[in-house]
Amino acid sequence: MNIPETILAGMRKTNDLFCTTVVGHRDVDALDHVYTKDARILPPGAEMIDNLAAIKQFWLQAITGLNVTGASLTTVSAEQAGDTVVEIGQAELTLAGGQLVPIKYVVHWKVEDSAWKWHIDIWNMNQ
Amino acid sequence: MNIPETILAGMRKTNDLFCTTVVGHRDVDALDHVYTKDARILPPGAEMIDNLAAIKQFWLQAITGLNVTGASLTTVSAEQAGDTVVEIGQAELTLAGGQLVPIKYVVHWKVEDSAWKWHIDIWNMNQ
């Protein structure tokens, strides 16, 4: 990936927070540090969500509703675009029964408050 | 949208080509003028596709398989990112029976051969 390691490290830090704290501890208030203040998410099977309170509510319902116990995020490619980054990635959710759900995504990353954050987040299922 | 009208016009030209020629006339070779040479698409229910020949095959099968007779694309937001653009949009496919299929998408746009083209294209269904 033709992108500075410092940026990739910043992205990993945010992704780790999502996996460990938001999904692992079901602490959706930590999404303040994952998404920009004016972030938008485009979940499959729903309309776009364009405010952070509703994004928190979405993730709380998704994580508890599906009984998600773990998540991993892997960057497939990341391209710098001005002072932002466009990333293609693969996610894998682990459900309580041990089932793995493969997901692919595109995230438009921006720096906010000195941290790399998800500004636009869209995903879909592989199957 | 805080983006020059000349860029939006270039994006509309490409979107019109997709709707009129690719979908309307089922001419998937016109996708040479829609996607960059190293474009990637992330369709729901499938793995990522990372070469243009396979992207053409995907659209041929999708358009004929679902019997898509029309498409419209509407930009919801577009942000300049360096010399690229990140767009959120809404698509509506018309099927032969008249059924409308609402879709939302994110496209990362780049200029190639003096034309605005889809470089990364991911979408999912609203319902």
Side-chain angles (χ1 to χ4, degrees):
Chain A
M1 256 163 284
N2 192 11
I3 195 169
E5 174 56 29
T6 50
I7 294 179
L8 291 172
M11 292 165 60
R12 275 197 301 272
K13 187 175 170 186
T14 302
N15 284 352
D16 287 347
L17 186 69
F18 181 82
C19 294
T20 304
T21 306
V22 176
V23 175
H25 299 158
R26 298 190 175 185
D27 174 6
V28 294
D29 282 329
L31 290 171
D32 287 332
H33 306 286
V34 173
Y35 286 103
T36 61
K37 289 180 181 63
D38 53 349
R40 287 169 293 177
I41 70 172
L42 294 89
E47 301 286 331
M48 182 171 77
I49 301 173
D50 67 356
N51 82 80
L52 196 46
I55 290 173
K56 290 181 183 180
Q57 193 59 32
F58 168 85
W59 279 115
L60 186 63
Q61 290 183 349
I63 293 166
T64 57
L66 295 170
N67 209 354
V68 181
T69 58
S72 69
L73 300 171
T74 306
T75 298
V76 172
S77 74
E79 286 185 56
Q80 281 187 276
D83 53 3
T84 73
V85 168
V86 180
E87 179 202 18
I88 295 177
Q90 293 180 324
E92 191 174 68
L93 301 184
T94 306
L95 307 189
Q99 189 191 348
L100 300 174
V101 181
I103 291 167
K104 57 193 181 305
Y105 65 83
V106 170
V107 168
H108 187 205
W109 292 79
K110 284 193 176 178
V111 174
E112 185 188 74
D113 301 334
S114 306
W116 282 95
K117 293 186 179 181
W118 304 354
H119 184 59
I120 296 173
D121 180 19
I122 180 171
W123 66 94
N124 62 38
M125 308 300 168
N126 292 1
Q127 290 148 10
Chain B
M1 256 164 284
N2 191 11
I3 194 168
E5 174 55 29
T6 51
I7 294 179
L8 291 172
M11 293 165 59
R12 275 197 300 272
K13 188 176 171 187
T14 301
N15 284 352
D16 287 347
L17 186 69
F18 181 82
C19 294
T20 304
T21 306
V22 176
V23 175
H25 299 156
R26 299 191 174 187
D27 174 6
V28 292
D29 282 330
L31 290 171
D32 287 332
H33 305 287
V34 173
Y35 285 103
T36 62
K37 289 179 181 66
D38 53 349
R40 288 169 293 177
I41 69 171
L42 294 89
E47 301 286 331
M48 181 172 77
I49 301 173
D50 67 357
N51 81 81
L52 196 45
I55 290 173
K56 289 180 184 180
Q57 193 58 34
F58 168 84
W59 279 115
L60 186 62
Q61 290 183 349
I63 293 165
T64 56
L66 295 171
N67 209 355
V68 181
T69 58
S72 69
L73 300 171
T74 306
T75 298
V76 172
S77 74
E79 285 185 57
Q80 281 187 277
D83 53 1
T84 74
V85 168
V86 179
E87 179 204 16
I88 295 176
Q90 293 179 323
E92 191 174 68
L93 302 183
T94 306
L95 307 187
Q99 189 192 348
L100 300 175
V101 181
I103 292 168
K104 58 194 180 304
Y105 64 82
V106 171
V107 168
H108 187 205
W109 292 79
K110 284 193 176 180
V111 174
E112 184 188 75
D113 301 335
S114 306
W116 282 95
K117 293 186 178 180
W118 305 352
H119 184 58
I120 297 172
D121 180 19
I122 181 170
W123 66 94
N124 63 39
M125 308 299 168
N126 292 1
Q127 288 149 11

